[in-house]
Amino acid sequence: MCGRYTITVTMDELMLRYFTNDTTIVHYAPKYNAAPMQYIPAVIHNGKHNKLGELRWGLVPSWAKDDKSGSKMINARAESLLEKASFKNLVSSRRCVIPADGFYDWKPQEGGKQPLRITLRDGKLFSMAGLYDIWMDQSGNKLSTCTIITTESNSLMAEIHDRMPVILTPEAETAWLDRHNHDVPTLMKLLRPYDSEHMRAYPVSPAVGNVRNDYKELIKEA
């Protein structure tokens, strides 16, 4: 599961990383504790170039009767994507990536759970694979939402949790975003655990457990 993450870079760094000047984000601010049901930065490909915008985290299928399902679909298991009505038709046409520079998880230990922040060893931005959909209410108001895809844990994460977000390699990221790529079997092969040798985990403050907390000190090693 992936239920909290961080994206602490500037807007300029985001646009440079994803080779785009096309953004619909008006008020951007770093997130030190991004949580479900919040609007989060996401990248899609419009057929010509990458586009940076915001999606609400928690997928609401276009065919849903209401928007209440979002909080239940913050993650989608890679292994069963093509079996779930909410996700199977999105793999071929509505893929996105969620930029991040870390994510949180809680490691069980004696006396409770220790929150950890997991990052790449070089501290750089990475892309979590996602799917998005657009739901419309009876008045014609659109709601664009997303889910983060998870896979089985690598050796680093296995000691923390049995699931982890799909982190795409640069090559996989390009293929996943390509709007013209409809090769579902090949796309599904991209959804695998990231190499643990290029990742690290360190303890952080229990304050990250409160979704109201969103400040720089949360990412400091405890």
Side-chain angles (χ1 to χ4, degrees):
M1 180 175 180
C2 176
R4 303 286 180 81
Y5 76 94
T6 63
I7 174 70
T8 67
V9 299
T10 65
M11 174 61 82
D12 286 344
E13 289 175 296
L14 263 182
M15 291 192 292
L16 183 63
R17 168 63 175 77
Y18 291 98
F19 306 103
T20 184
N21 288 316
D22 187 353
T23 180
T24 57
I25 299 178
V26 178
H27 302 292
Y28 171 81
K31 289 180 177 290
Y32 298 95
N33 194 14
M37 304 303 286
Q38 295 178 355
Y39 281 88
I40 58 175
V43 179
I44 65 169
H45 194 273
N46 66 4
K48 294 182 180 180
H49 59 259
N50 289 339
K51 183 175 181 178
L52 178 64
E54 287 185 309
L55 297 170
R56 198 180 77 177
W57 185 7
L59 191 119
V60 178
S62 59
W63 43 262
K65 293 181 179 180
D66 55 50
D67 64 349
K68 296 178 181 178
S69 61
S71 61
K72 300 176 183 178
M73 288 195 278
I74 65 170
N75 292 152
R77 294 173 69 95
E79 299 88 338
S80 58
L81 279 185
L82 303 183
E83 302 168 11
K84 304 292 185 180
S86 300
F87 308 131
K88 64 181 182 180
N89 295 325
L90 303 180
V91 177
S92 64
S93 60
R94 287 190 165 172
R95 303 181 301 274
C96 64
V97 300
I98 312 301
D101 52 20
F103 63 93
Y104 296 110
D105 214 322
W106 281 256
K107 182 179 181 179
Q109 62 180 26
E110 190 174 340
K113 292 185 176 182
Q114 171 64 53
L116 302 172
R117 182 171 182 249
I118 299 96
T119 69
L120 298 188
R121 284 195 175 277
D122 59 13
K124 291 184 179 179
L125 269 174
F126 55 85
S127 295
M128 299 185 289
L131 299 172
Y132 73 96
D133 210 346
I134 301 171
W135 178 81
M136 187 180 298
D137 66 17
Q138 293 181 342
S139 300
N141 299 308
K142 293 181 179 180
L143 176 65
S144 299
T145 62
C146 67
T147 187
I148 294 173
I149 301 173
T150 66
T151 184
E152 61 185 6
S153 290
N154 59 23
S155 58
L156 172 72
M157 284 298 300
E159 297 181 2
I160 305 167
H161 199 281
D162 62 356
R163 306 292 297 174
M164 66 179 291
V166 171
I167 298 174
L168 298 167
T169 65
E171 296 77 17
E173 177 189 310
T174 300
W176 185 255
L177 280 175
D178 184 358
R179 191 69 170 263
H180 304 292
N181 187 349
H182 304 293
D183 185 351
V184 172
T186 300
L187 288 165
M188 293 297 293
K189 293 178 181 178
L190 304 176
L191 306 178
R192 56 180 184 264
Y194 199 75
D195 188 347
S196 61
E197 291 187 4
H198 299 301
M199 301 176 69
R200 66 181 290 254
Y202 64 89
V204 293
S205 168
V208 74
N210 188 334
V211 294
R212 294 187 180 90
N213 293 332
D214 186 6
Y215 46 82
K216 192 172 183 178
E217 287 73 21
L218 292 177
I219 66 173
K220 289 184 177 180
E221 186 164 356

